[in-house]
Every structure is written in structure tokens, then in C-alpha cells.
Amino acid sequence: HVQLVESGGGSVRPGGSLELSCGASGYSYSSYCMGWFRQAPGKECELVSTASSDGSTYYSDFVKGRFTISRDNANNTVNLMMNSLKPEDTAMYYCAATDRSVDYCTSGHFGTYNYYGQGTQVTVS
């Protein structure tokens, strides 16, 4: 039974920081690409950042220099440290996993993720 469980969301002032965590179970975590997505009300889902099985990472332009993704294969977790938060970062944030290649993982594409969590809300105001 695959589970992805996010935590760490909340409300913060502009310029503040939050760290999101995602715990995974039920599949071969270390061989999967892990990603963070977000969706704001009335807007399309966006890919935020990914961490591949070999440690490579990808960041969307709108978070580069502000967010840092990290994964811990020993504990099956992936974190997203978010600094210098802006009101436009307000969204539901989702953790996801795909068994696609490292190249796919770090390409910025996100059409074929196998598993998603339930999400954690981030509000910046």
C-alpha cells in the first residue's frame, strides 16, 4: 500500500520560511524520482522541484534561489525548504513520486507521476 504523507504547511508572513516534509512508504523509494507540486485556487498545477534517485535536482524558475529540495533515502523522506516566501507561493503543496528516468525527473516535465500525497496548505500573507 503506497503512501505519501506531507506535513509542515502553515501560514507565514511574506519573507518568512517553511519546511515541508513528505514521508513515503509502500514502494522502492530510493529508485524513484520525488517531486513537489503546488496548486493555487483557480490555477493549474505547477511543478515546483524534483530530486532524482541519483541526487540530481530540478527547480522551476519561480522558486530558484529560494527553495531547496533534499531527500533522505535511509528514511524515505523528501523535504522542501522554502525561504523568502511570497504571497504568490500560497497554494496546496503535494509530494509525488515517479519511476521515470533521472533525465525525465530533472527535465521539468510532470505528466507521468505514479503516486501523489494528499497535500499540505501553505499560506503567505
Side-chain angles (χ1 to χ4, degrees), residues 39-60:
Q39 187 165 25
K43 295 188 176 181
E44 292 188 352
C45 187
E46 299 177 304
L47 176 62
V48 176
S49 180
T50 63
S52 70
S53 57
D54 72 352
S56 303
T57 58
Y58 166 87
Y59 295 96
S60 291

Side-chain angles (χ1 to χ4, degrees), residues 1-115:
H1 175 59
V2 174
Q3 278 194 308
L4 295 174
V5 181
E6 302 94 337
S7 61
S11 296
V12 65
R13 297 287 192 186
S17 299
L18 282 174
E19 184 169 26
L20 307 182
S21 293
C22 173
S25 61
Y27 66 100
S28 300
Y29 175 84
S30 62
S31 65
Y32 275 61
C33 166
M34 298 300 298
W36 284 97
F37 294 77
R38 71 185 187 186
Q39 187 165 25
K43 295 188 176 181
E44 292 188 352
C45 187
E46 299 177 304
L47 176 62
V48 176
S49 180
T50 63
S52 70
S53 57
D54 72 352
S56 303
T57 58
Y58 166 87
Y59 295 96
S60 291
D61 286 345
F62 51 81
V63 302
K64 277 181 183 175
R66 299 189 298 124
F67 291 11
T68 303
I69 192 170
S70 61
R71 65 185 292 166
D72 180 350
N73 289 341
N75 293 301
N76 289 8
T77 57
V78 59
N79 292 348
L80 186 69
M81 184 68 209
M82 306 185 296
N83 296 318
S84 302
L85 283 161
K86 304 175 181 180
E88 51 264 45
D89 294 318
T90 295
M92 185 71 79
Y93 283 71
Y94 299 90
C95 170
T98 179
D99 59 359
R100 295 288 298 269
S101 69
V102 170
D103 285 345
Y104 179 87
C105 182
T106 55
S107 68
H109 298 297
F110 62 97
T112 56
Y113 275 70
N114 305 78
Y115 311 119

